[in-house]
Amino acid sequence: MASPSRRRRPPFTPAILLLLLLSATVSVASSVLGIDLGTEYIKAVLVKPGIPLEIVLTKDSKRKETASVAFKAVPNAPPYSFPERIYGSDAMALSARIPADVYPNLKALLGLPITDPVVVSEYRQRHPLLQLVPLEGRGTVAFQSGTLAGDQGIFPVEELLAMELQNIRSNVEAMAGKGHSVKDAVLTVPPFYTAEELRAVELAAELAGLNLLGLVSDGLAVGINYATSRTFPSVSEGAMPEYHLIYDMGAGYTSATVLQFQGRTVKDVGKFNKTIQEVNALSTAWDRTLGGDFMNGLIVDHMVEEFCNTPAAKKHGFAPEAVKAHGRTAAKLWKEAERARQILSANSETVVSFEDLFEEVDFRYKLSRGRFEELASSLAERVEEPARRALDAAQLTMADLDSLILHGGATRTPFLQERLEKLIGDAGKIRSNVNADEAAVFGAAFMGAGRSPSFRVKEIRSRDAGPYAIGMRWTSNGKGILSETDLIQHHKLTDHTDRRQRLFLPTEPRGVEKHVPFQLRQDFSFALYHQVASDVSSAGANDVQISDVQTRNLTASVAQLLSKAGCAERNVTVSFTFRLRTIDGLPEVVRGVASCDIDLSEKKGGVVDDVKGFFGFGSKTEEQTPLEDPASEEPGSPPSKNADQAASSIVAESKTATPEASGKSKALLRPKKRSETVHVEFTVSQAGTPPFSAASLKKSKERLSAFHDSDRSRRLREESLNSLEAFIYRSRDLLDDEIFITASTEEERGALQVKIQEASDWLYGEGADAGRQELGERLKGLKSLVNPVKRRIEEANRRPQEIVQLRKVLNQTKTLIDVVVSDIEKGEAAKAASVVAEEANPQTSSESTSTQDESAGLEDSTSSASSASTTTIPSAVPDPPLYTAEDVASLTSAYESADTWLNAKLAEQATLSAHDDPVVLAKEIEAKSSELNKAVLETLQKKLRAIPKAKTSTRAKSKTQKAKTKSSSTSATPPAQENGGPAEEGASTQSSAASSSTGKGEEGAPKDAAEGKTGKKHDEL
């Protein structure tokens, strides 16, 4: 038999551990993050079991994080150490102090070359002290930080954005709970992003450790959020869809998206149908230079102009260019311009005061809403254009719109709302019940939950609109593909044609596939591009190339089809399959094949031979075998069963072939074909900006990891520093506390006073830059003096409560001992009484036995007599007592041991003073209480285990014996006689009962009677 410990172990322990591991894995993987990647702010929403669609708060409990990161140099830091990273509004607060290391609004620079004449140039003017440098090997934007030397201080814009995403992720994981990792995410992107910009976002997400479930345009994300709480007319029932225009103006750009909302009935599981909601983006338009930042720029220009016209500025001869180029001054101006614009959205006037704006000159600026609208008149004229172009692309008018939904912080500008009301013609169509700040991020999170297998949400099928059509371009002379040299010298050739073909329209859904055939037989290359121009035949100057594809084995594959498969050259077809990726909508090459169809009818004798072969009259082929002669079988052998079956089948064929001969002959007249296919291998290379090399990617990931470790180490050091400083202050307060003075000696307080003074002097002196380990040693030294005294105080407060509890348990144990002794004495007395009763009635058992033996062979009358004789109740045998003398001894020993120990310890403790260490601890008294309680419970469980068994058997037997007793009484006493009825009816009833009793056997009646008596006894008990 296994040991008790092994028997208690649950079975299938490895399976249970695996289940727990899988459960933990599912819990980690079941969280989804939606991120609205804005130009000025980043917002996030978490979807987690128990947390459905909740906004993620920043460390300052704000609902959005400023899209900014700053590097703050650590004083007296060792060489090659990393600076401190600061995020959000804290980073922007440092823009006036360290403007050369605060990096805001990075989204605008993603995927753009350093030579971009519009966006990058504008960014340089707004942040004059930031050092923008080209990234080696790519030519994109990077920043040179002064906090790190050499190449170590060059940060690509994607890496800086990854830091901001990591900060958002840390906020999310803090909200989700300790040990919870969140990786799956859906990000919003502008609708006009090209392949370069989309890849930059994906790279930043990869560096941040996020698993992208998809990129969704801002307008569609708002539409998904709008559809989560609404039901639209079903087009399956003949209803018309709804059309809404999402007008989104943020800090960096403006976009307009036309969305179609409708319901549709589709097939569900089994024979059921269901109604889903559809959100389709029909068209989109944008303006990349219209947004809140451009309005802020107008206010900044006006501030500088007004400042330079002040007498103090004129006295010093300040030029506007010099004021804007000053980093601290520019940071102050942009910050106050943003605040002034927001104030003017609700007020008619605002005043801004600057202290030491430039060269120690103060400035007071006043701006009214009317003056601001005059400054922004050129921008106001462009407000309506994105909406008009989006409607034209969707082939709709303003009258077709059901509503216009505003999104983005800049849409609160009064003159913008007035323009849009005039454009749509009905102010009631402008929806104000949509959260202009958070609708997009909630839509992205809902989309992520729908794509995750861990959540079941309302089924909303969405289709995003691509910003540009996607085309394919290759060059051919009709005989083969041009070589690389020919492509370079294309302008010198006259017999080659530059071929183009449109693959996908902007409105085509993601995930759709298309097959494109090529009449080419040799290896060639082609390019995929975003068709920015409106006409596919336009010059390629406006085409943004996405990728280059080069075949590797096409020439060999075609040769294989011609030589081995016997294909004709005119029948060989080369085709490629293209698909729009579901994550970002970029095109990808799924497969390439070279194939041909071989006509099998050419290898045979023609149609006549096929018809003859069908009826069995054709010539023999290799697949045919001659029939065996039945006479060749051995004599005496039984007839062949197969031969009989063949004969019967021939007869059946001859009967059925005649009416179907014409139909089958027509089928034979159709030529037979076989398809031969060879997969074409190809390589895809990223076009345009070269991708990050493996070494550069590794370097960025290692640097981000080193930054993370450095920040963690710095955070832990700061916690140690704060803990030491706080403990010094608390220790000083303890020296004046009366309770602490009572529990400590004069020598202990004197030593603590000296230690506190030493720690304080060291902390505010040379210890200001001390490491975490040294700070911890100082704290440990102080605690070694304070903790013993605090332990005495805690023991003095807790000890009386534990003594009261132990004495209570002692009293309960004493009471139980008395009960157990009484139970044993009662059991012994009952047993003695039973023995005396048996000795006084020795004939009861023998009489009962003889009566049963004599009545065994008698008829019904004697059977009744024997039954009557066996109804005598035998003497009751008492149950044995539940407790034994060993139980009494065990309880008594535990009681006396605990009582003696407590009295001895209390007597010894009474001789000590308050500042002495206690001889008995509260946890020791608690352990004695637990030990005594355990002995009491073990004794009581004996009675608890015995009571349910007695109750169960008594109830079962009682119900059984009641039924049998009732049956026996019915059989023995006729109902008619009991009620005074006729004797004939009683006789017939009695006769029937007797015959029934006889059929059960000779021992049936005595057994039933005995069981009836037992049931009666249990009823009485």
Side-chain angles (χ1 to χ4, degrees):
M1 180 180 296
S3 63
S5 61
R6 291 182 59 117
R7 289 199 302 271
R8 286 194 297 267
R9 185 177 300 169
F12 306 108
T13 302
I16 294 176
L17 292 177
L18 180 60
L19 178 61
L20 293 176
L21 178 62
L22 292 176
S23 301
T25 302
V26 172
S27 176
V28 171
S30 62
S31 299
V32 178
L33 183 62
I35 299 178
D36 182 13
L37 191 61
T39 303
E40 188 175 4
Y41 295 100
I42 301 177
K43 296 173 280 291
V45 166
L46 175 64
V47 184
K48 175 180 175 289
I51 306 180
L53 292 174
E54 185 168 348
I55 198 77
V56 177
L57 301 180
T58 67
K59 292 180 176 63
D60 301 330
S61 299
K62 297 180 180 179
R63 298 178 68 88
K64 56 185 178 181
E65 185 78 278
T66 304
S68 178
V69 59
F71 294 157
K72 183 180 178 182
V74 180
N76 301 324
Y80 304 105
S81 62
F82 289 94
E84 181 182 1
R85 293 184 299 182
I86 303 174
Y87 299 97
S89 57
D90 294 338
M92 293 303 297
L94 297 174
S95 59
R97 293 173 51 192
I98 49 173
D101 280 305
V102 179
Y103 308 98
N105 303 353
L106 299 174
K107 176 184 175 181
L109 303 176
L110 290 173
L112 298 180
I114 191 70
T115 57
D116 184 86
V118 179
V119 179
V120 177
S121 177
E122 183 72 20
Y123 193 90
R124 288 179 186 272
Q125 295 177 9
R126 294 181 183 178
H127 310 283
L129 291 187
L130 290 179
Q131 300 181 35
L132 276 69
V133 296
L135 186 61
E136 184 179 359
R138 286 172 53 88
T140 54
V141 178
F143 292 89
Q144 175 71 60
S145 173
T147 57
L148 292 173
D151 295 342
Q152 191 69 13
I154 297 178
F155 293 89
V157 64
E158 294 87 353
E159 187 174 343
L160 294 176
L161 181 60
M163 294 181 183
E164 297 181 9
L165 293 177
Q166 284 181 335
N167 177 57
I168 295 295
R169 185 181 172 189
S170 65
N171 295 338
V172 171
E173 293 175 352
M175 176 182 175
K178 185 177 180 181
H180 197 95
S181 178
V182 182
K183 293 185 177 181
D184 295 340
V186 173
L187 272 66
T188 64
V189 293
F192 50 79
Y193 264 11
T194 61
E196 300 288 353
E197 295 161 306
L198 293 174
R199 287 168 180 159
V201 175
E202 294 173 358
L203 176 60
E206 180 185 355
L207 293 175
L210 294 175
N211 175 37
L212 272 185
L213 298 180
L215 298 176
V216 58
S217 64
D218 300 320
L220 182 61
V222 175
I224 293 174
N225 178 69
Y226 184 78
T228 53
S229 58
R230 292 169 175 82
T231 302
F232 302 99
S234 177
V235 294
S236 302
E237 299 174 0
M240 296 297 294
E242 295 183 7
Y243 297 98
H244 301 263
L245 177 66
I246 310 297
Y247 193 91
D248 184 8
M249 179 182 287
Y253 59 90
T254 299
S255 66
T257 306
V258 178
L259 298 179
Q260 180 189 59
F261 297 84
Q262 62 189 17
R264 185 182 299 276
T265 302
V266 297
K267 186 173 178 57
D268 201 358
V269 180
K271 299 181 180 179
F272 301 97
N273 295 331
K274 62 179 179 181
T275 301
I276 63 170
Q277 306 301 311
E278 294 181 343
V279 182
N280 301 322
L282 301 182
S283 63
T284 182
W286 56 85
D287 189 336
R288 300 190 68 162
T289 58
L290 178 62
D293 275 352
F294 297 94
M295 299 180 191
N296 298 341
L298 297 174
I299 298 178
V300 169
D301 293 340
H302 189 253
M303 284 180 174
V304 173
E305 181 182 354
E306 292 291 322
F307 173 72
C308 293
N309 290 331
T310 59
K314 289 182 178 179
K315 180 180 178 180
H316 292 81
F318 294 151
E321 293 76 12
V323 176
K324 291 181 181 180
H326 192 269
R328 291 182 175 85
T329 302
K332 292 179 181 180
L333 291 172
W334 281 97
K335 180 180 178 180
E336 293 301 328
E338 169 74 14
R339 192 175 67 88
R341 181 177 62 83
Q342 295 176 354
I343 292 175
L344 290 177
S345 297
N347 300 274
S348 59
E349 190 177 76
T350 183
V351 177
V352 182
S353 297
F354 295 94
E355 183 178 354
D356 186 14
L357 176 61
F358 184 71
E359 298 293 339
E360 299 182 356
V361 176
D362 300 337
F363 175 56
R364 188 174 184 272
Y365 176 74
K366 183 178 180 180
L367 181 65
S368 64
R369 181 186 294 180
R371 179 56 178 155
F372 169 63
E373 292 179 355
E374 291 178 5
L375 296 174
S377 59
S378 60
L379 299 180
E381 295 175 355
R382 296 158 50 190
V383 167
E384 304 173 2
E385 187 61 23
R388 294 184 186 277
R389 286 192 283 110
L391 287 173
D392 292 342
Q395 298 181 356
L396 296 174
T397 63
M398 289 293 174
D400 297 326
L401 293 179
D402 291 272
S403 72
L404 189 148
I405 301 173
L406 299 180
H407 185 263
T411 57
R412 298 185 179 94
T413 307
F415 75 80
L416 181 141
Q417 295 183 355
E418 294 175 1
R419 288 270 183 170
L420 293 179
E421 288 178 4
K422 182 180 179 181
L423 174 66
I424 198 169
D426 183 4
K429 285 188 175 183
I430 297 181
R431 295 290 172 89
S432 58
N433 58 348
V434 176
N435 192 329
D437 289 325
E438 300 174 355
V441 66
F442 275 101
F446 188 90
M447 180 180 179
R451 292 190 175 185
S452 172
S454 303
F455 299 95
R456 184 178 180 182
V457 298
K458 178 181 178 181
E459 189 167 359
I460 300 177
R461 298 182 183 179
S462 58
R463 187 183 70 188
D464 210 343
Y468 318 104
I470 296 174
M472 178 177 60
R473 180 178 63 245
W474 74 101
T475 307
S476 173
N477 61 356
K479 297 180 181 180
I481 184 63
L482 291 176
S483 64
E484 291 293 333
T485 305
D486 292 338
L487 289 175
I488 297 174
Q489 302 293 334
H490 181 264
H491 63 282
K492 297 181 180 180
L493 302 176
T494 58
D495 58 343
H496 299 102
T497 305
D498 185 13
R499 298 175 180 266
R500 294 171 178 262
Q501 181 173 345
R502 178 179 293 178
L503 293 178
F504 300 99
L505 297 174
T507 56
E508 294 195 59
R510 297 178 181 180
V512 64
E513 293 187 357
K514 286 192 175 182
H515 307 278
V516 179
F518 292 85
Q519 295 298 326
L520 298 173
R521 307 292 182 267
Q522 300 179 12
D523 287 306
F524 70 103
S525 63
F526 57 88
L528 301 177
Y529 60 90
H530 267 148
Q531 184 185 329
V532 179
S534 58
D535 187 4
V536 71
S537 62
S538 300
N542 293 327
D543 294 346
V544 179
Q545 196 163 336
I546 302 173
S547 59
D548 294 320
V549 183
Q550 174 67 54
T551 63
R552 297 174 55 188
N553 65 335
L554 177 59
T555 304
S557 300
V558 173
Q560 179 181 348
L561 291 175
L562 297 178
S563 61
K564 295 183 179 181
C567 298
E569 185 175 359
R570 65 177 182 278
N571 295 332
V572 176
T573 302
V574 178
S575 64
F576 283 85
T577 301
F578 302 90
R579 177 174 58 199
L580 292 178
R581 295 172 52 183
T582 57
I583 292 181
D584 50 19
L586 294 179
E588 61 179 351
V589 184
V590 180
R591 71 184 69 88
V593 295
S595 62
C596 71
D597 293 334
I598 303 174
D599 191 355
L600 299 179
S601 61
E602 297 177 358
K603 295 184 179 182
K604 295 186 178 181
V607 176
V608 178
D609 289 341
D610 291 338
V611 175
K612 288 182 178 181
F614 176 77
F615 289 104
F617 300 110
S619 60
K620 294 182 181 180
T621 62
E622 295 179 356
E623 299 178 354
Q624 294 176 329
T625 57
L627 296 176
E628 295 182 358
D629 188 1
S632 63
E633 297 181 358
E634 297 181 2
S637 61
S640 174
K641 186 176 181 179
N642 294 334
D644 295 341
Q645 292 178 352
S648 62
S649 63
I650 292 173
V651 174
E653 277 189 20
S654 62
K655 291 181 179 180
T656 58
T658 302
E660 299 179 0
S662 60
K664 291 190 176 182
S665 62
K666 291 181 179 179
L668 291 172
L669 292 175
R670 291 194 296 267
K672 298 181 180 179
K673 293 184 179 181
R674 184 180 78 248
S675 179
E676 292 288 342
T677 302
V678 178
H679 290 280
V680 177
E681 298 178 1
F682 55 88
T683 57
V684 180
S685 59
Q686 178 177 320
T689 303
F692 259 51
S693 63
S696 300
L697 193 62
K698 181 180 178 181
K699 176 184 175 182
S700 294
K701 289 183 177 181
E702 290 178 349
R703 184 162 53 181
L704 287 172
S705 178
F707 259 110
H708 179 268
D709 295 339
S710 176
D711 290 345
R712 181 177 180 274
S713 177
R714 186 177 296 107
R715 184 173 61 253
L716 293 176
R717 181 201 172 274
E718 291 175 355
E719 291 176 359
S720 299
L721 178 64
N722 296 334
S723 298
L724 176 59
E725 188 175 16
F727 197 84
I728 290 175
Y729 283 108
R730 289 198 302 267
S731 300
R732 285 174 176 168
D733 295 337
L734 288 176
L735 294 176
D736 298 329
D737 187 74
E738 295 182 1
I739 299 177
F740 188 86
I741 294 174
T742 304
S744 61
T745 63
E746 186 68 28
E747 292 78 8
E748 290 174 332
R749 293 193 297 273
L752 179 60
Q753 177 70 39
V754 173
K755 200 76 171 179
I756 290 175
Q757 189 62 38
E758 291 179 355
S760 179
D761 295 341
W762 175 84
L763 180 62
Y764 298 110
E766 60 184 15
D769 300 325
R772 176 190 172 196
Q773 184 177 0
E774 191 173 358
L775 292 170
E777 292 294 334
R778 293 279 181 172
L779 180 61
K780 184 179 179 181
L782 285 175
K783 287 184 176 181
S784 65
L785 298 177
V786 174
N787 288 345
V789 181
K790 295 180 66 176
R791 192 179 303 113
R792 295 170 199 161
I793 298 173
E794 293 174 358
E795 288 292 331
N797 294 332
R798 184 182 171 192
R799 190 186 310 115
Q801 302 174 4
E802 296 298 336
I803 293 173
V804 172
Q805 180 65 25
L806 179 55
R807 290 196 180 278
K808 182 179 179 180
V809 176
L810 286 170
N811 293 335
Q812 294 174 352
T813 306
K814 180 62 176 174
T815 302
L816 180 60
I817 292 173
D818 297 338
V819 172
V820 171
V821 172
S822 176
D823 182 76
I824 294 175
E825 292 175 352
K826 289 180 181 180
E828 293 295 335
K831 182 177 181 181
S834 175
V835 172
V836 172
E838 289 182 358
E839 293 176 354
N841 300 310
Q843 298 178 352
T844 304
S845 177
S846 61
E847 289 178 359
S848 176
T849 303
S850 61
T851 303
Q852 293 177 4
D853 294 340
E854 292 173 359
S855 63
L858 299 181
E859 300 294 334
D860 294 341
S861 59
T862 59
S863 176
S864 299
S866 67
S867 298
S869 67
T870 59
T871 58
T872 304
I873 301 176
S875 59
V877 179
D879 295 332
L882 295 175
Y883 305 110
T884 63
E886 288 78 5
D887 297 333
V888 178
S890 176
L891 284 174
T892 303
S893 176
Y895 170 80
E896 293 177 352
S897 175
D899 186 62
T900 304
W901 177 85
L902 178 62
N903 293 330
K905 290 295 183 181
L906 292 181
E908 188 177 356
Q909 181 67 35
T911 61
L912 302 177
S913 61
H915 56 74
D916 292 327
D917 292 331
V919 296
V920 57
L921 300 179
K923 64 179 182 180
E924 297 176 348
I925 303 175
E926 184 182 7
K928 283 292 182 181
S929 299
S930 301
E931 182 181 349
L932 201 55
N933 270 326
K934 183 178 179 182
V936 170
L937 289 176
E938 289 178 353
T939 304
L940 290 175
Q941 283 178 355
K942 288 188 175 182
K943 188 172 184 179
L944 294 176
R945 286 193 296 265
I947 291 176
K949 294 182 179 179
K951 288 184 178 181
T952 304
S953 60
T954 301
R955 290 179 180 175
K957 291 184 178 180
S958 176
K959 292 181 179 180
T960 305
Q961 298 309 325
K962 282 183 180 180
K964 292 186 177 181
T965 303
K966 183 176 180 180
S967 175
S968 300
S969 63
T970 306
S971 302
T973 306
Q977 292 182 359
E978 292 178 0
N979 298 331
E984 292 79 2
E985 296 179 5
S988 63
T989 305
Q990 184 177 3
S991 174
S992 174
S995 62
S996 176
S997 176
T998 304
K1000 292 181 179 179
E1002 297 179 357
E1003 298 178 1
K1007 185 177 180 181
D1008 292 345
E1011 291 180 354
K1013 290 185 288 182
T1014 305
K1016 182 178 181 182
K1017 179 180 178 181
H1018 283 293
D1019 290 341
E1020 293 174 354
L1021 292 175

